[in-house]
Amino acid sequence: MTQLDPPGGTVRPAVAYPSALARCVSVEPEKFAAAHWGHTPLLSRAAELPNPAGFTDLLSPDDADELLSRRGLRTPFLRVAKDGQVLPAARYTGGGGAGAEIGDQVLDEKILELYAGGATLVLQGLHRNWPPLVDFTRELSLAVGQPLQVNAYLTPPGSQGFATHYDTHDVFVLQVDGRKHWRIHPPVLPDPLERQPWGGRADEVAATAAGPATLDVVLEPGDALYLPRGWLHSAQAQESSSLHLTVGIRALTRYALVEELLALATEDRRLRATLPLGIDLADPEAIEPELTETVEALRDWLSRADPAAVAGRLRQRAWPASRPAPIRPLAQAAALTALTVDSHVTARPGLRWQLTVTGDQATLRLFDRAITLPAYCEPAVRALLTGEITRVGDLPALDSDADRLTLTRRLLREAALIPG
């Protein structure tokens, strides 16, 4: 049995790979969660990982060349950096030619000139447009329970794309090809939020980077490195060009809980009250009694905060950031027409869902919308989404095959199910 690459690639043997998380860390998930997640870096050498061919199945140098030359790539799916500076897109983009009325298509001859001159190429958003990484990212996202993004960094021999900096999200670095020297320093700001980028602390970053490194390593093909947000890092390609993947983990924080609690606090009338007429907002003594009463009202409200309401808001924030598996619209439409009681269907891989019943109505919440159905449909919907039932004619709690077909068509049309 073989697996086909995207058009323009080659045919390679299908390989049974371990779980996505196991490919990134050399310790058991429980130990990773307790000792490293959000706390300390973890270096995993290729020999410690169960990867039969490193990470070339996810994106090889040939794959990167195809993206840069034959896929009509546009900004912002590519950045180019040199000497620590991101170059203007106009340096490497232009018109798409006849029939493509766009002006920001990546020009391969410009990319050649810049790359040969020492610039680093950053392929962005690969979790959305490169099939092997679409699937890998979905599985890894489910394992860590957080939204992910994937970029690829192509660096010429001896070059360094970016100066020492920190990210405001955790990362897995997966070395695909070549060797890259990494220097890791401790945070100047532990656990930075997205609104706290390293540029605001450039002097501290530079001073810390001048000191001894916590980790000074050369990543070889197949090696992996986990870095929590805030850890300083720089990387330089060695004697040959380097290709590595950076999986960014857009983890939600406790501050996200604070933000959602404050958003819900608008329900409290005491917290909506107007400040006194004529109050001097610059006078701490004038503000003090209002601040005291506000803190008291906020404390009272927080003591009654509804976890379900907070969870609902967090769901609205997190679920849209992690899309389920792509569907095939034409095949899906054909399946709607051809559906019979003997047809088999399955839940869309990676679909996050929540099914509740209130009165005579069932609500199925998905990553981008809510679907309402009669309450009596709940057992059948749950059986389909959990995989307990796959054959349409076996759906429970419905009176007729016509009802079973109607419900299944609805869920296929809503892209909650796929033909199975």
Side-chain angles (χ1 to χ4, degrees), residues 141-174:
S141 177
L142 290 172
V144 301
Q146 304 286 353
L148 305 181
Q149 65 183 57
V150 181
N151 295 344
Y153 292 76
L154 299 110
T155 309
S159 294
Q160 177 176 323
F162 298 92
T164 301
H165 64 284
Y166 67 74
D167 294 320
T168 57
H169 52 268
D170 297 16
V171 299
F172 290 114
V173 176
L174 311 178

Side-chain angles (χ1 to χ4, degrees), residues 267-323:
E267 299 172 6
D268 191 301
R269 183 174 179 179
R270 291 172 64 189
L271 293 170
R272 298 198 309 270
T274 305
L275 295 177
L277 180 69
I279 187 173
D280 184 354
L281 298 177
D283 181 1
E285 292 186 2
I287 291 295
E288 192 277 333
E290 290 298 319
L291 181 61
T292 299
E293 187 168 344
T294 300
V295 169
E296 180 182 344
L298 182 60
R299 184 185 296 115
D300 290 345
W301 186 87
L302 289 175
S303 69
R304 305 188 304 273
D306 180 7
V310 177
R313 293 187 64 90
L314 289 174
R315 181 189 68 244
Q316 294 171 13
R317 179 188 289 211
W319 282 14
S322 299
R323 290 184 61 84

Side-chain angles (χ1 to χ4, degrees), residues 308-365:
V310 177
R313 293 187 64 90
L314 289 174
R315 181 189 68 244
Q316 294 171 13
R317 179 188 289 211
W319 282 14
S322 299
R323 290 184 61 84
I327 61 168
R328 296 161 56 89
L330 302 185
Q332 193 92 348
L336 285 167
T337 303
L339 194 71
T340 71
V341 291
D342 291 320
S343 298
H344 286 261
V345 293
T346 187
R348 183 178 179 182
L351 183 73
R352 290 169 168 84
W353 57 274
Q354 184 182 61
L355 184 60
T356 57
V357 174
T358 303
D360 60 356
Q361 179 176 288
T363 302
L364 174 62
R365 293 181 177 86

Side-chain angles (χ1 to χ4, degrees), residues 167-229:
D167 294 320
T168 57
H169 52 268
D170 297 16
V171 299
F172 290 114
V173 176
L174 311 178
Q175 188 68 26
V176 178
D177 188 66
R179 302 167 69 245
K180 205 160 195 181
H181 181 200
W182 287 75
R183 288 176 56 83
I184 312 299
H185 294 82
V188 298
L189 176 67
D191 302 324
L193 301 172
E194 289 195 11
R195 64 185 64 180
Q196 298 172 311
W198 75 275
R201 291 172 170 78
D203 290 343
E204 294 176 79
V205 169
T208 303
T214 302
L215 196 60
D216 191 326
V217 297
V218 174
L219 293 190
E220 308 272 353
D223 291 347
L225 175 65
Y226 166 72
L227 288 179
R229 58 195 163 103

